[in-house]
Amino acid sequence: EEQLEESGGGLVKPGGSLRLSCAASGFIFISYSVNWVRLVPGKGLEWVAFISPNSDHIYYADSVKGRFTVSRDNAKKSLYLQMNSLRAEDTAVYYCARHSRDEGMDVWGQGTTVTVSS
Amino acid sequence: DIVMTQSPLSLSVTPGEPASISCRSSQSLLHTNGYNYLDWYVQRPGQSPQLLISLASNRASGVPDRFSGGGSGTDFTLKISRVEAGDVGIYYCMQALHTLPTFGPGTRVDI
């Protein structure tokens, strides 16, 4: 079964840092781009970041650019999101999602919750 | 950035009856290859988002044929031919044409 599983969420103070991980299984990880998408309470889904299979194309939403860094380790079949200078508005459930431009985000993890609060 | 809008934002449906959600983009999503880069997702209560439709009208694997997508350019529609109780959730359109994907605000569907 094709699966993604996020981890690393938690409670952090404003200005703090957190690193999310996403482990892939059941498919050839290196063949796919991956996105981070977050569900913001009361607001809906927001795309956060994209990374191509070989990490040669990386894009960020304006709201996180300069603070978040996406990376991947294809040998470990893992995706990461380093989040620095966290703000209250970053509070959300964070999902990793497999991406194919012609087939959409077709595999999603179960999500990991990040709460930024003092 | 491409702005996505949806209507209605809330929809109360009767099981067995049809339902329709509209999505509009601020720029055309029609690629030179002839495809419209518009996806539909649903987030059911307590679950992760799920892909329903890609390229405006292609049903994802395992999605019942009660769900259909249509439209082109800037105007798109998701239709459910016969609503079931399990269709409750929030439905999002998302443009996938430009480098930075953007979601619509979501349409809450309840019974």
Side-chain angles (χ1 to χ4, degrees):
Chain A
E1 183 183 1
E2 298 170 327
Q3 287 187 320
L4 294 168
E5 184 172 358
E6 304 90 342
S7 60
L11 174 64
V12 61
K13 289 182 169 54
S17 298
L18 211 56
R19 189 193 195 212
L20 306 183
S21 299
C22 170
S25 61
F27 65 94
I28 302 173
F29 184 65
I30 197 172
S31 295
Y32 291 90
S33 300
V34 194
N35 291 286
W36 285 100
V37 177
R38 63 189 181 186
L39 177 63
V40 181
K43 288 193 173 182
L45 294 175
E46 179 186 18
W47 171 80
V48 173
F50 166 95
I51 186 166
S52 61
N54 290 320
S55 306
D56 50 349
H57 297 285
I58 293 175
Y59 307 112
Y60 299 97
D62 288 344
S63 58
V64 307
K65 195 179 296 183
R67 300 186 299 121
F68 289 14
T69 302
V70 61
S71 62
R72 63 191 292 166
D73 184 334
N74 288 332
K76 294 183 177 180
K77 299 181 184 179
S78 292
L79 173 76
Y80 307 100
L81 186 67
Q82 177 66 43
M83 304 187 295
N84 298 330
S85 303
L86 282 161
R87 306 166 180 167
E89 53 264 37
D90 295 318
T91 294
V93 178
Y94 285 75
Y95 299 95
C96 54
R98 188 176 81 174
H99 177 98
S100 167
R101 193 182 188 206
D102 289 352
E103 297 176 2
M105 300 183 199
D106 63 342
V107 179
W108 294 68
Q110 85 289 349
T112 187
T113 301
V114 172
T115 303
V116 184
S117 174
S118 55
Chain B
D1 289 1
I2 297 180
V3 177
M4 307 297 293
T5 56
Q6 292 181 228
S7 63
L9 296 182
S10 182
L11 183 61
S12 186
V13 297
T14 302
E17 294 296 306
S20 180
I21 300 170
S22 293
C23 173
R24 179 166 290 179
S25 60
S26 60
Q27 299 177 32
S28 176
L29 302 184
L30 180 62
H31 192 279
T32 54
N33 64 12
Y35 290 103
N36 286 279
Y37 281 80
L38 185 284
D39 301 336
W40 288 96
Y41 298 86
V42 61
Q43 185 154 30
R44 297 183 174 89
Q47 296 184 22
S48 301
Q50 176 195 355
L51 174 69
L52 291 174
I53 302 282
S54 63
L55 295 179
S57 61
N58 292 353
R59 266 190 307 278
S61 176
V63 174
D65 59 8
R66 300 184 294 106
F67 292 89
S68 63
S72 183
T74 61
D75 291 284
F76 301 89
T77 304
L78 176 70
K79 293 183 178 179
I80 310 174
S81 60
R82 298 173 308 280
V83 172
E84 297 182 356
D87 296 334
V88 166
I90 303 177
Y91 290 75
Y92 297 90
C93 60
M94 189 201 82
Q95 68 82 14
L97 179 65
H98 294 275
T99 303
L100 310 186
T102 43
F103 288 91
T107 295
R108 182 178 298 274
V109 173
D110 58 31
I111 302 293

